[in-house]
Amino acid sequence: MLFVVLAVCFIIRMPVSFSMLAASITYYLLAAPDKVGQVFTVITGNMFSNYTMLAAPLFIFMANVLNEGEVTDKLFSFCNGLLGRLKGGTAQVNVFISLIFSGMTGSAIADASGIGLMEIEQMKKEGYDPEFSCAITAASATIGPIFPPSIPMVIYAMLSGASVGKLFMGGMVPGVLLAVLLMIYVAYISHKRNYPAGVVMTLRQFGKATIIAFPALFTVILLLGGIYTGVCTPTEAGAIASAYALLISLLIYRTLGLKKLIGIIRKSAANTAALALLCGTSMLFSYIISLEQVPAAVATVVTGITDNKYIFLFVVNIVFLLLGCVLDVSTIQLVFVPMVLPLVKAFGIDLVHFGVVICLNMMIGLSTPPFGMLLFIVAGLGKTRIAGVIREILPMVLIMIGLLFLVTYVPDIILFIPNTFM
């Protein structure tokens, strides 16, 4: 009944957050009517105990400040000067920034809901199709948790005993490869649809743009430096960067007044409320899936299919891709990964190799139609129909899946750097 109600809600086009909430409440009314109060407990308990999740509203606020304070224009002016000669320069910037910028929180969702808002608005302003703008933002957001630092990799290291340092190093090459492949696709589609190139600048113009953009660029340095040096957590870095973005908009660029600031607060509250509702209901839905031991049943089926490690890896990849469409990363890691780790060790599969493959797989799941969470987030931020975003992201998902199977069956792509330096 859980899935029947969910399917009916999708058919009548009920928003996904309300669909998951309706399905979850139906489950409790039928299976445990005396425990309906758990709905509130599960949602609030998971939301308020997750300190890292506070990074999302902070990044939403920061992106709104940068957009309304016209700081985004200066930042993208610099990036267009850097990549301006390329066709579809701003879309290329979208991917390039994600390689560096989305690693700040180690969360694809935080990246898409934060810096992603800035990217979508800028691309729409330059005449890109809204659906493509949302799709490339969702696809590029998957890079962050692959390229270090990465919260999913830290959780995997806790579960498996693998080295966090090796996992971070192992994610470097796949992260760069994913960025390069997406940039190649952007170049192809930009020529096909005649998307605009960025502004081609002279050296003097680029130098001036760099000076003007430096206060904005320092936001990235502040975020990356704080996290990479261990001075602050992603959430703390988000708070510091938000305050800094507010200061430069008010005092340096002087493009933000009281009226705009009140509008930013209202807009950020609305965006955060929508995101919180989506995340909260997905946590409740994932809790019920875990409670009913659906992942355990899937694991039993998978482990009973084959004793060949290559077939095993293929089946695990397919199952994880499917699970990633409907479950959050934490649930998959905490419920499903421990069940397959004994088999991973028995097959002699390197734990670092398997960990990076699984993290990449789960990030792809977040962008995989029809239920990938990133799709709904970027569609909501871009005020775009989800069907259009799905249509645009399908080729990118195929590219990511191709990379997934490449790194699955060529382990040295992942293991070369950690084996060389550690």
Side-chain angles (χ1 to χ4, degrees):
M1 286 305 300
L2 180 75
F3 289 105
V4 169
V5 172
L6 186 68
V8 171
C9 290
F10 282 151
I11 290 171
I12 64 175
R13 297 187 177 183
M14 183 182 289
V16 64
S17 52
F18 292 108
S19 299
M20 289 190 289
L21 184 61
S24 301
I25 291 176
T26 301
Y27 166 85
Y28 272 104
L29 290 174
L30 294 176
D34 58 323
K35 296 181 179 179
V36 176
Q38 279 189 352
V39 171
F40 178 79
T41 304
V42 171
I43 292 177
T44 56
N46 286 324
M47 290 286 285
F48 296 146
S49 64
N50 193 332
Y51 179 69
T52 303
M53 188 169 291
L54 285 173
L58 289 168
F59 277 95
I60 288 174
F61 177 73
M62 182 187 71
N64 286 332
V65 170
L66 294 175
N67 279 324
E68 296 297 326
E70 301 175 21
V71 179
T72 308
D73 297 338
K74 297 169 180 59
L75 183 63
F76 273 86
S77 176
F78 164 77
C79 291
N80 275 328
L82 195 63
L83 300 172
R85 297 183 183 277
L86 299 177
K87 195 78 170 176
T90 305
Q92 299 285 9
V93 169
N94 190 322
V95 179
F96 179 71
I97 286 179
S98 289
L99 179 64
I100 303 169
F101 209 65
S102 62
M104 294 180 304
T105 64
S107 168
I109 293 173
D111 171 55
S113 58
I115 191 72
L117 179 61
M118 183 198 310
E119 294 164 340
I120 292 170
E121 290 297 326
Q122 184 66 21
M123 289 181 68
K124 287 167 67 177
K125 187 185 298 183
E126 293 187 9
Y128 288 80
D129 296 324
E131 295 84 359
F132 177 77
S133 302
C134 292
I136 191 62
T137 299
S140 65
T142 62
I143 298 172
I146 308 305
F147 197 84
S150 168
I151 293 173
M153 287 185 184
V154 172
I155 296 173
Y156 175 83
M158 178 188 70
L159 296 171
S160 66
S163 165
V164 175
K166 284 188 175 183
L167 285 167
F168 281 3
M169 285 189 173
M172 287 182 178
V173 174
V176 172
L177 280 177
L178 181 54
V180 170
L181 290 173
L182 288 176
M183 291 179 81
I184 291 172
Y185 176 74
V186 166
Y188 163 76
I189 208 74
S190 296
H191 280 87
K192 184 178 179 181
R193 299 181 184 177
N194 197 31
Y195 286 143
V199 178
V200 179
M201 297 182 181
T202 64
L203 187 61
R204 184 173 181 176
Q205 289 173 327
F206 179 64
K208 184 179 179 180
T210 303
I211 293 171
I212 294 173
F214 182 77
L217 290 170
F218 191 74
T219 309
V220 181
I221 298 172
L222 195 66
L223 285 161
L224 292 177
I227 296 169
Y228 283 3
T229 58
V231 171
C232 53
T233 66
T235 302
E236 292 163 349
I240 294 168
S242 296
Y244 175 78
L246 194 59
L247 284 173
I248 62 173
S249 298
L250 287 169
L251 302 179
I252 297 178
Y253 295 124
R254 298 184 180 183
T255 51
L256 196 63
L258 181 60
K259 186 177 180 180
K260 276 190 175 182
L261 181 58
I262 293 172
I264 288 169
I265 293 171
R266 287 176 176 171
K267 185 177 181 181
S268 300
N271 290 341
T272 300
L275 181 62
L277 182 62
L278 179 61
C279 291
T281 51
S282 68
M283 285 177 176
L284 176 62
F285 190 80
S286 297
Y287 173 78
I288 294 172
I289 294 293
S290 176
L291 193 67
E292 287 296 320
Q293 298 183 357
V294 174
V298 173
T300 301
V301 172
V302 171
T303 55
I305 289 176
T306 182
D307 58 357
N308 182 297
K309 79 172 184 177
Y310 298 107
I311 297 176
F312 167 74
L313 284 170
F314 177 82
V315 173
V316 167
N317 269 333
I318 297 299
V319 171
F320 265 84
L321 282 170
L322 295 175
L323 290 176
C325 295
V326 295
L327 299 178
D328 66 89
V329 171
S330 298
T331 300
I332 296 173
Q333 283 192 301
L334 295 174
V335 176
F336 191 64
V337 170
M339 296 179 183
V340 299
L341 280 175
L343 282 170
V344 172
K345 295 174 183 177
F347 281 126
I349 300 169
D350 189 281
L351 287 175
V352 172
H353 172 231
F354 186 76
V356 175
V357 167
I358 288 303
C359 286
L360 175 58
N361 193 312
M362 291 186 295
M363 293 308 107
I364 295 172
L366 289 174
S367 299
T368 302
F371 304 126
M373 188 179 292
L374 282 176
L375 300 177
F376 295 98
I377 291 174
V378 297
L381 293 174
K383 298 178 182 178
T384 307
R385 290 186 61 193
I386 188 68
V389 179
I390 290 174
R391 184 180 64 250
E392 289 287 353
I393 206 171
L394 279 174
M396 304 180 207
V397 170
L398 292 176
I399 289 171
M400 291 188 283
I401 291 174
L403 176 63
L404 171 66
F405 282 98
L406 177 65
V407 299
T408 297
Y409 293 109
V410 186
D412 284 343
I413 294 175
I414 293 172
L415 298 176
F416 173 76
I417 292 180
N419 286 347
T420 301
F421 294 98
M422 294 188 70

